[in-house]
């Protein structure tokens, strides 16, 4: 969990937040994430995700096949260097609209990398919905 603001360096490398380095391990799997972000997984969590996708009835479910194909086609094994940096491939940066300023969020079993402006917009919409929900309950409108 947590949100960390970072910038890509001149070589498009991201310094992984120290908090996430141990949990992600020696090999980080980066792939397309939901809502146009890059998802980062440890090897163990990636394998768990693959098992879940397999359980979604690949043979009988066209949506499951599409999800599996898109996610697996976008996946890259990345090895952090001695400074904890990973090179984000251009296909992932382009997908997420990441230019230079970004945020890295902890999301339960993985981390997500967002373009900072996209994250600001996305999180503000979530905060507005939360405020609306809280306001509705406080006013008896729920």
């Amino acid at each position: 969990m947590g949100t960390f603001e970072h910038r890509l360096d001149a070589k498009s490398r991201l310094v992984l937040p120290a908090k996430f380095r141990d949990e992600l391990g020696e090999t980080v799997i980066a792939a397309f994430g939901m809502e146009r972000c890059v998802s980062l997984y440890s090897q163990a969590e990636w394998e768990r995700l693959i098992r879940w996708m397999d359980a979604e009835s690949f043979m009988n479910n066209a949506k499951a096949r599409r999800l599996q194909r898109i996610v697996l086609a976008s996946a890259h094994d990345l090895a952090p260097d001695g400074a904890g940096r990973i090179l984000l491939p251009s296909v992932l940066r382009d997908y997420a609209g990441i230019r230079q300023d970004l945020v890295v969020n902890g999301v339960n079993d993985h981390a997500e990398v967002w373009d900072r402006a996209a994250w600001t917009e996305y999180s503000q919409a979530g905060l507005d919905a939360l405020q609306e929900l809280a306001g509705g309950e406080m006013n008896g409108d729920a």
Side-chain angles (χ1 to χ4, degrees), residues 84-120:
R85 297 174 299 198
I86 56 172
L87 174 64
L88 283 179
S90 62
V91 67
L92 297 178
R93 292 191 318 269
D94 291 347
Y95 168 77
I98 295 169
R99 306 276 181 274
Q100 187 173 35
D101 294 323
L102 53 87
V103 295
V104 182
N105 298 323
V107 186
N108 192 20
D109 61 352
H110 68 286
E112 293 180 342
V113 182
W114 288 75
D115 173 75
R116 191 177 300 170
W119 173 251
T120 298

Side-chain angles (χ1 to χ4, degrees), residues 8-9 21 38-40 60 63-64 81-82 85 87 89-90 92 96 102 108 121 140:
L8 291 179
D9 69 12
R21 287 182 204 162
V38 175
S39 292
L40 304 177
N60 298 318
K63 287 182 182 180
D81 66 13
R85 297 174 299 198
L87 174 64
S90 62
L92 297 178
L102 53 87
N108 192 20
E121 182 179 327

